[in-house]
Amino acid sequence: GAGVSQSPSNKVTEKGKDVELRCDPISGHTALYWYRQSLGQGLEFLIYFQGNSAPDKSGLPSDRFSAERTGGSVSTLTIQRTQQEDSAVYLCASSLSLLGYTFGSGTRLTVV
Amino acid sequence: DAKTTQPTSMDCAEGRAANLPCNHSTISGNEYVYWYRQIHSQGPQYIIHGLKNNETNEMASLIITEDRKSSTLILPHATLRDTAVYYCIVRGGNYGQNFVFGPGTRLSVLP
């Protein structure tokens, strides 16, 4: 597609449930990043994939968070046993060059 | 931590130029200056980037001082749709580094 696509756009889940967030990057983009943004806060880096290299997981806040990228394209961010503090907008971005990222519109996760 | 310092907020009259400053006094030789903006409820949008020369594209101009310790993003004719949070980010030129977003400058374009 023309841009980075994220789904779902909104997700409401109960505390303790697992959720999966999906990101379809721009075709051919080798780098993929996940960020999250809590209400009124800045962007927090979570994880980064570059080609076939091992992902940079240094931003994941706990072991309840994991992500994978299949076939160098689609990525799934999984949050296990969700907590209320996980409520945020989860943003995915992809990149091919130094021109920087193209961000998706995000998934708004609400844990109740 | 973000390597840049920006004013928290700025106002600009519609139709006038918006000049957004950024200090990056610890920038190293291989680091670029990037600007992004985030309009309410949307993902950040790339605007422009530069290394040491001034840059211009259809959205904005980027003026980098000779010592590279500061820069200014210029929106030549601001419109109401330019109201957003503007992020100035310093990053190296390889893929292995993520963008570190600070709080940015909240620009309000006033009618």
Side-chain angles (χ1 to χ4, degrees):
Chain A
V4 176
S5 178
Q6 292 188 246
S7 61
S9 55
N10 281 284
K11 175 73 176 178
V12 179
T13 190
E14 292 181 352
K15 178 181 174 181
K17 300 282 190 182
D18 298 352
V19 294
E20 287 189 351
L21 312 179
R22 178 186 170 104
C23 172
D24 283 271
I26 293 174
S27 178
H29 278 196
T30 56
L32 187 148
Y33 301 77
W34 283 97
Y35 286 79
R36 74 175 175 181
Q37 188 170 32
S38 301
L39 185 63
Q41 303 297 311
L43 281 80
E44 175 188 5
F45 167 74
L46 297 177
I47 189 169
Y48 152 69
F49 296 89
Q50 171 57 51
N52 296 320
S53 302
D56 175 358
K57 305 178 182 180
S58 60
L60 295 178
S62 78
D63 59 8
R64 295 187 295 105
F65 287 72
S66 63
E68 63 177 20
R69 188 178 184 193
T70 54
S73 181
V74 172
S75 177
T76 301
L77 176 70
T78 301
I79 308 173
Q80 296 178 310
R81 305 180 302 281
T82 53
Q83 303 295 314
Q84 288 185 330
E85 61 262 29
D86 299 334
S87 295
V89 176
Y90 288 81
L91 290 157
C92 174
S94 70
S95 172
L96 178 63
S97 71
L98 292 178
L99 288 179
Y101 304 168
T102 300
F103 278 86
S105 297
T107 294
R108 182 174 298 278
L109 175 66
T110 303
V111 181
V112 298
Chain B
D1 293 333
K3 300 180 181 180
T4 63
T5 304
Q6 300 176 251
T8 303
S9 64
M10 292 181 64
D11 292 340
C12 176
E14 186 179 19
R16 304 297 292 269
N19 298 290
L20 292 90
C22 180
N23 287 323
H24 32 79
S25 59
T26 61
I27 192 170
S28 61
N30 66 344
E31 290 182 319
Y32 290 74
V33 180
Y34 288 80
W35 283 84
Y36 281 78
R37 72 179 181 184
Q38 188 172 25
I39 296 170
H40 183 61
S41 298
Q42 298 182 22
Q45 176 190 23
Y46 166 83
I47 301 173
I48 199 168
H49 79 286
L51 183 62
K52 53 184 177 181
N53 297 323
N54 298 337
E55 302 289 344
T56 296
N57 62 21
E58 65 277 6
M59 290 183 68
S61 294
L62 174 60
I63 308 299
I64 303 175
T65 58
E66 191 169 343
D67 63 7
R68 304 211 318 127
K69 293 185 177 181
S70 65
S71 61
T72 302
L73 178 75
I74 301 172
L75 308 178
H77 305 286
T79 71
L80 298 178
R81 287 175 293 182
D82 292 322
T83 292
V85 177
Y86 286 77
Y87 300 98
C88 170
I89 303 164
V90 164
R91 197 195 80 154
N94 65 69
Y95 289 120
Q97 300 179 26
N98 68 81
F99 284 95
V100 177
F101 288 82
T105 296
R106 182 172 298 278
L107 175 69
S108 298
V109 180
L110 307 175

